[in-house]
């Protein structure tokens, strides 16, 4: 986000906060526009203006915007949670992902148990040769099975035996 021509008239948020004249080559101006004063205030409170200036001068110009966004995100997170900062937010999200994975696993397991108990395996012996075992359901074999890298095959070989056919001709 490069400074607009209107921001040359007023000092950037950093220079305004630091009460200094904003020069045309100000390192902060492109990243801390005057309409976002809290962004710089947070970054300054956590990292200090001198450290941010040094960091921006060491980073390649095309990476500076990302660096400032990262600093602003971490600064805001540190203000909300001084001990853990953004790591606390990441931990909350990781726990949420684990909880949702377990919920998905439980749902997949329930679907597999339902599918395994609903397919009448004793009908397989009475099927005419060449008939598909999926005709018992009137749908494709994969219509009920939703594999997940987090669940085990709860039906075991019975599920695969039914869906490959009794004669194992699909092997």
């Amino acid at each position: 986000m490069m400074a607009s021509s209107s921001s040359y008239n007023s000092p950037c948020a950093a220079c305004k906060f630091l009460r200094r004249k904003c020069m045309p080559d100000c390192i902060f101006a492109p990243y801390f526009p005057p309409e976002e004063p809290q962004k710089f205030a947070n970054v300054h409170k956590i990292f200090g203006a001198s450290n941010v200036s040094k960091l921006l001068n060491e980073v390649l110009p095309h990476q500076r915007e990302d660096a400032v966004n990262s600093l602003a995100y971490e600064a805001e997170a540190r203000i909300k949670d001084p001990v853990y900062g953004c790591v606390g937010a990441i931990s909350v999200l990781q726990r949420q992902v684990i909880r949702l994975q377990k919920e998905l696993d439980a749902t997949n397991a329930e679907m597999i148990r339902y599918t395994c108990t609903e397919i009448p395996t004793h009908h397989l012996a009475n099927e005419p040769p060449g008939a598909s075992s999926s005709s018992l359901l009137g749908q494709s074999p994969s219509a009920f099975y939703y594999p997940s890298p987090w669940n085990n095959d709860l039906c075991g070989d019975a599920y695969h035996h039914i869906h490959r056919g009794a004669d194992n001709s699909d092997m």
Side-chain angles (χ1 to χ4, degrees):
M1 164 188 352
M2 294 309 251
S4 65
S5 60
S6 64
S7 65
Y8 289 113
N9 298 336
S10 62
C12 69
C15 291
K16 189 171 185 177
F17 184 88
L18 298 171
R19 298 174 190 251
R20 65 182 192 189
K21 183 175 170 111
C22 192
M23 303 304 283
D25 62 341
C26 175
I27 190 77
F28 298 119
Y31 313 107
F32 298 101
E35 55 274 358
E36 296 181 33
Q38 194 60 47
K39 181 178 178 181
F40 181 77
N42 291 346
V43 170
H44 174 65
K45 181 176 181 177
I46 301 301
F47 300 106
S50 177
N51 290 330
V52 174
S53 175
K54 288 176 192 173
L55 183 125
L56 290 177
N57 282 315
E58 291 176 7
V59 172
L60 295 173
H62 72 277
Q63 295 174 327
R64 289 179 183 163
E65 186 172 358
D66 289 336
V68 168
N69 290 337
S70 295
L71 290 171
Y73 182 81
E74 177 62 26
E76 187 175 330
R78 283 280 169 191
I79 289 169
K80 290 178 183 175
D81 185 352
V83 175
Y84 295 108
C86 68
V87 173
I90 291 168
S91 295
V92 167
L93 293 172
Q94 284 177 331
R95 286 192 302 272
Q96 186 178 10
V97 166
I98 290 168
R99 182 181 53 79
L100 291 171
Q101 283 176 339
K102 288 179 181 178
E103 188 178 319
L104 179 63
D105 291 346
T107 302
N108 280 334
E110 187 175 327
M111 289 175 62
I112 291 169
R113 280 193 299 275
Y114 174 78
T115 302
C116 290
T117 59
E118 291 297 313
I119 298 174
T121 57
H122 64 278
H123 284 37
L124 289 175
N126 297 333
E127 271 188 1
S132 168
S133 60
S134 63
S135 65
L136 296 172
L137 298 173
Q139 299 181 13
S140 70
S142 62
F144 293 107
Y145 183 66
Y146 297 93
S148 165
W150 304 288
N151 65 8
N152 295 325
D153 185 6
L154 298 176
C155 291
D157 291 332
Y159 177 83
H160 298 289
H161 176 77
I162 290 168
H163 287 86
R164 273 186 273 165
D167 60 352
N168 293 327
S169 61
D170 292 343
M171 293 185 104

